[in-house]
Amino acid sequence: MLEAFQESIKDYSTPPEKALIRDLTAKINCYVSFLIECRPLSISMGNAIRFLKTRIVKLPLTLSESEAKATLLSDIDRFINEKIILADKVIVRHAVTKIRDGDVLLTYGSSSAVEMICLHAHDIGKQFRVVVVDSRPKLEGRLLLHRLVRKGITCTYTHINAVSYIMHEVNRVFLGASSVLSNGTVYSRVGTACVAMVAHQFHVPVLICCEAYKFYERVQLDSICSNELGDPDAISKVPGRKEINYLDDWANRENLQLLNLIYDATPSDYVSMIITDYGMIPPTSVPVIVREYRKEHLWI
Amino acid sequence: MWYRSASFILDKQQEENDAEGKPESRLLSTASPSSSMADTLQNPNPQISAYYQTRAAHHGVVTTDWLAQAQAAVGRDPDDGVSEISIISTDSGKQLSVIDEFNNWRKQPDLAEAVAAIRALAWVIRSSEATTMMELEIELKKASDSLKSWDTTSISLTAGCDLFMRYVTRTSALEYEDFNSAKSRLLERAEKFGEISYKARKIIAMLSQDFIFDGCTILVHGFSRVVLEVLKTASQSRKLFRVLCTEGRPDRTGLRLSNELAKLDVPVKLLIDSAVAYSMDEVDMIFVGADGVVESGGIINMMGTYQIALVAKSMNKPVYVAAESYKFARLYPLDQKDMVPALRPIDFGVPIPSKVEVETSARDYTPPQYLTLLFTDLGVLTPSVVSDELIQLYL
């Protein structure tokens, strides 16, 4: 999304008799509402857009148009580089210290941070095995599985129904996050809370890998408020199995509603540690990071 | 390692591959550039944690006369040590002598580990020939790294070194000062650190007085000088309380502590370690010290602390930890085995066949959910505040 904004800024030219700052902000708002119509924004995207808008507003008025555009483009580049790419490197560096030889790691769905951790740990020669847990309808775990197996990591693939069966073998659970809220609640793909809960019950440490730009100042107590709805047809149809498609005419039934949630909230009690680019912190310290770093450094 | 996995066949194959392929990994690394010095810089006995050996030496059961003599003897040592060692001026010689200096200071029973480390680093500053701040910083960094690698198991040593290095980098950022004043400021700070540490114990003792009420029974585990200070202050302010001490095998810390408490006329009862759950009914609170306080808010302390905390939690007794703020470390253990192993030889009194393995770890990790409050010189804190303090310190 940020790269798309970069392209749009490159192609932008100030209309005559209008101030760059205000006009560009208005254009950005148009783009954002278009994006929202296609699909509701994720929290990290919201943070990035807020960063872009503050940078635009902070532009000194004396700059010419081309200078202003160049500054904005370099700011976006810096954000991408520092907050996303370098942050991922730092997270991987911290996380591989928590993987010992002979460990069995469990992961759910497909998180880019967790994938990088597994690949890096394999590269530096650690011996471990990964259990990839997957769930319908997205079946994102298959992509992760494909990439890990191609690298030569021993993997096990299972469905989320079997997570309590497999959990006794597992030493560590690595999960990704879409966002972490101020009370330590982790907002992530639906099913994550389930995995974290089972891991907690089996006394398996749960490590969340999340870059700091995804931290958000809101507090949420349950998963229902401000969630995103996915396509209900995706859960009613099972591809390749026509004989069990009993829900084909679900739309006609009055007392039936299909609910396909995309995100869920994992309470902070089930999380042992959050690995961010600021180090390894307990979930209770998220508001401290937000407070200390937000104003100056979190987005700049 | 035991594998609990149903796929034990797969794991066994991996084990075979591991046994062939993996090279031996040493616990410690040397810091010296020249290979000839490499042997002398290594800790002579990496299997035994030097930190716990020293503590055992301090807290072993001895008669008080012998102890007074030993203290007097050691007290004279550091001064002699300094004048001898300052003659050596080569770089690798300096590395060697930082560790010597540190070991000299560490021998004093009343001195905290971190303070000994900082005194050793202050000696490095005093005897350094650097002319710029950058040079001095680099020298200090090398000395601090060699100290840390000398004993990787001591958390307060690592934390103390890191703390002093942070102060150094902060001071060196003030470029406008001339070098000598900056150097003297660093030395001043190092000297002050010793005072701060001593004062910290007094502050902690004052803060914990509110929690000790008349007629209470306190359970104490391990020999912590901070906890001893707390109890001393309480008895001096004429509070009526009694103390249950665990025996603390294999260091016999309980015997040492009960000696000290008997001197203060505090009613003491000794328990064997297994009798903790049995006596937990009559206990009102538990006081422990800490070897290190980790980022999650948990503590690393002498073996047995976790057990006591578990029993206390299940019977709803509060567990109070008394620790100075320089013990906060940037570690985050996930379970008991996630730390650098610190091993101590255990003497069972009878010979044990060589086939029998002995668990020789000297310490365990108590997760924060079993601790009620931490008494530190920064105030009375809940375990979740430790991470806040660390973030602010290492900002």
Side-chain angles (χ1 to χ4, degrees), chain A:
Chain A
M1 180 195 75
L2 281 172
E3 287 177 359
F5 276 126
Q6 273 185 321
E7 288 295 322
S8 71
I9 291 178
K10 264 191 225 154
D11 297 336
Y12 174 79
S13 58
T14 326
E17 293 161 23
K18 280 211 184 145
L20 173 85
I21 295 176
R22 250 163 281 167
D23 192 50
L24 187 55
T25 318
K27 280 262 161 40
I28 300 274
N29 284 338
C30 287
Y31 300 149
V32 171
S33 37
F34 171 67
L35 284 174
I36 293 178
E37 260 177 67
C38 301
R39 197 190 147 179
L41 289 178
S42 70
I43 295 175
S44 49
M45 283 162 76
N47 282 349
I49 291 174
R50 217 169 306 140
F51 154 76
L52 182 60
K53 286 200 191 151
T54 38
R55 294 312 291 166
I56 295 177
V57 161
K58 283 213 178 102
L59 280 176
L61 290 164
T62 51
L63 284 184
S64 75
E65 183 183 320
S66 51
E67 278 174 1
K69 280 175 27 173
T71 324
L72 278 179
L73 289 172
S74 75
D75 278 338
I76 296 182
D77 269 330
R78 209 158 48 113
F79 184 88
I80 294 178
N81 208 20
E82 279 176 25
K83 297 294 163 194
I84 304 178
I85 298 177
L86 280 177
D88 279 337
K89 289 210 177 92
V90 174
I91 290 177
V92 165
R93 198 163 49 92
H94 283 298
V96 294
T97 59
K98 290 292 170 198
I99 303 179
R100 306 163 297 191
D101 285 330
D103 262 354
V104 180
L105 312 178
L106 184 133
T107 180
Y108 175 72
S110 166
S111 161
S112 58
V114 176
E115 184 186 331
M116 279 191 266
I117 291 170
C118 291
L119 296 177
H120 188 250
H122 186 75
D123 281 337
I124 62 180
K126 298 224 175 189
Q127 305 291 324
F128 61 94
R129 172 157 91 78
V130 179
V131 178
V132 178
V133 177
D134 204 3
S135 76
R136 281 197 66 235
K138 293 209 165 188
L139 291 173
E140 293 169 324
R142 291 190 180 177
L143 293 166
L144 177 64
L145 183 70
H146 186 66
R147 285 182 219 130
L148 292 180
V149 170
R150 207 158 22 145
K151 262 279 187 154
I153 302 177
T154 326
C155 294
T156 310
Y157 179 72
T158 178
H159 196 259
I160 194 169
N161 292 339
V163 72
S164 56
Y165 173 78
I166 201 96
M167 192 56 81
H168 75 274
E169 300 184 352
V170 174
N171 292 117
R172 306 264 190 266
V173 175
F174 278 91
L175 299 171
S178 165
S179 158
V180 180
L181 307 175
S182 263
N183 59 346
T185 308
V186 176
Y187 201 66
S188 181
R189 180 71 70 223
V190 68
T192 313
C194 209
V195 174
M197 227 182 304
V198 175
H200 180 81
Q201 200 56 35
F202 279 81
H203 299 290
V204 175
V206 174
L207 290 79
I208 307 284
C209 311
C210 176
E211 299 90 346
Y213 77 94
K214 289 181 180 168
F215 287 2
Y216 196 47
E217 266 159 352
R218 191 174 67 200
V219 172
Q220 204 169 308
L221 298 175
D222 59 40
S223 310
I224 287 284
C225 49
S226 69
N227 205 326
E228 186 188 330
L229 285 179
D231 179 16
D233 281 328
I235 47 177
S236 69
K237 292 200 194 320
V238 179
R241 297 278 303 275
K242 290 224 166 48
E243 69 276 13
I244 61 169
N245 281 342
Y246 303 117
L247 294 174
D248 274 345
D249 57 344
W250 65 270
N252 297 335
R253 317 251 176 124
E254 286 162 0
N255 50 357
L256 178 62
Q257 284 237 333
L258 293 187
L259 183 64
N260 184 7
L261 291 175
I262 304 285
Y263 295 112
D264 72 7
T266 309
S268 61
D269 307 329
Y270 302 137
V271 175
S272 313
M273 172 203 293
I274 302 183
I275 308 179
T276 75
D277 41 328
Y278 291 111
M280 300 186 270
I281 58 171
T284 47
S285 290
V286 171
V288 180
I289 300 265
V290 169
R291 185 187 71 222
E292 297 288 333
Y293 293 96
R294 170 135 295 193
K295 303 293 180 293
E296 293 85 21
H297 303 118
L298 199 60
W299 293 334
I300 296 175

Side-chain angles (χ1 to χ4, degrees), chain B residues 247-267:
Chain B
E247 186 194 358
R249 291 211 66 222
D251 297 323
R252 291 179 280 177
T253 55
L255 307 185
R256 177 94 172 86
L257 186 64
S258 53
N259 266 343
E260 296 291 324
L261 289 174
K263 276 189 250 171
L264 300 169
D265 282 331
V266 173

